[in-house]
């Protein structure tokens, strides 16, 4: 099953995704896309690590997400990807539209063939005002397009607000 868990900052989306992964009762591989480049992000990463079960495997990959999914997806395995918008930011910061397009298409193209359960976590950023800067407008646009394409392919899509899940597609939680 492919699932997409969306929400704003501190909405409970990662906690929900971790619960869903645990509930599968499958071995879990956590795929982290962040690059802790400052103290604040390092603290966020530490908080996520402390919350995860110790038996979960960890793969850290900021760019080649499709490759990592193909390498780690297996029947009877759950992959939890946290987070797509950090992955997208990493690609946007390369300032190479060709690589961004190639990685996004590789991700979308590989999903149908992946075995096992996969849970994606991503920030919903398109519900506010239009950002003033070109890069932030591009980020919001790219995230929105990515979320639409993923939601089309996923069996379940959930929006989290204030720690509460709202099922947008598929069976309710």
């Amino acid at each position: 099953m492919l699932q997409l868990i969306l929400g704003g900052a501190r909405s409970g989306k990662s906690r929900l995704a971790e619960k869903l992964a645990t509930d599968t009762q499958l071995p879990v591989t956590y795929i982290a896309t962040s690059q802790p480049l400052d103290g604040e992000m390092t603290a966020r990463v530490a908080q996520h690590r402390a919350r995860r079960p110790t038996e979960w495997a960890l793969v850290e990959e900021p760019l080649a997400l499709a490759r990592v999914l193909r390498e780690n997806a297996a029947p009877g395995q759950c992959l939890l990807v946290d987070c797509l918008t950090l992955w997208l930011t990493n690609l946007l910061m390369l300032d190479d539209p060709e690589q961004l397009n190639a990685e996004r298409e590789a991700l979308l193209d590989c999903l149908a063939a992946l075995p096992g359960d996969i849970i994606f976590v991503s920030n919903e950023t398109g519900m506010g005002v239009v950002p003033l800067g070109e890069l932030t407008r591009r980020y919001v646009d790219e995230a929105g397009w990515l979320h639409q394409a993923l939601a089309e392919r996923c069996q379940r899509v959930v929006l989290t607000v204030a720690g509460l899940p709202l099922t947008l597609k598929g069976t309710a939680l």
Side-chain angles (χ1 to χ4, degrees):
M1 174 189 279
L2 295 176
Q3 299 183 71
L4 175 60
I5 311 299
L6 298 167
R10 300 292 188 230
S11 65
K13 62 190 175 296
S14 292
R15 188 179 316 257
L16 174 62
E18 291 162 5
K19 179 188 179 314
L20 293 172
T22 299
D23 289 351
T24 67
Q25 299 183 349
L26 299 172
V28 176
T29 298
Y30 186 96
I31 300 172
T33 63
S34 70
Q35 298 183 88
L37 302 176
D38 59 38
E40 189 272 338
M41 185 54 93
T42 299
R44 281 179 182 254
V45 168
Q47 181 183 37
H48 278 251
R49 281 187 182 143
R51 197 172 60 213
R52 289 194 304 263
T54 56
E55 65 271 11
W56 286 10
L58 172 65
V59 175
E60 295 176 321
E61 177 51 57
L63 300 172
L65 184 53
R67 177 185 54 78
V68 167
L69 289 171
R70 286 190 305 271
E71 290 173 355
N72 289 277
Q77 175 75 30
C78 179
L79 305 181
L80 193 165
V81 178
D82 199 353
C83 128
L84 290 173
T85 42
L86 286 174
W87 169 73
L88 183 61
T89 298
N90 296 336
L91 290 166
L92 282 168
M93 296 310 293
L94 295 176
D95 199 24
D96 181 353
E98 289 181 22
Q99 185 171 0
L100 170 63
N101 291 335
E103 291 294 339
R104 181 185 56 236
E105 291 310 309
L107 171 63
L108 295 173
D109 289 346
C110 80
L111 294 178
L114 295 175
D117 288 14
I118 303 173
I119 303 168
F120 295 101
V121 176
S122 199
N123 288 288
E124 177 52 63
T125 60
M127 299 175 87
V129 298
V130 176
L132 292 176
E134 180 183 345
L135 180 58
T136 50
R137 281 193 306 274
R138 184 167 174 230
Y139 165 79
V140 169
D141 289 347
E142 293 288 349
W145 293 324
L146 177 63
H147 293 159
Q148 289 180 55
L150 273 169
E152 185 178 299
R153 290 162 172 81
C154 287
Q155 288 81 38
R156 181 186 289 149
V157 180
V158 177
L159 176 66
T160 55
V161 179
L164 301 173
L166 174 61
T167 302
L168 303 175
K169 179 182 177 183
T171 56
L173 298 177

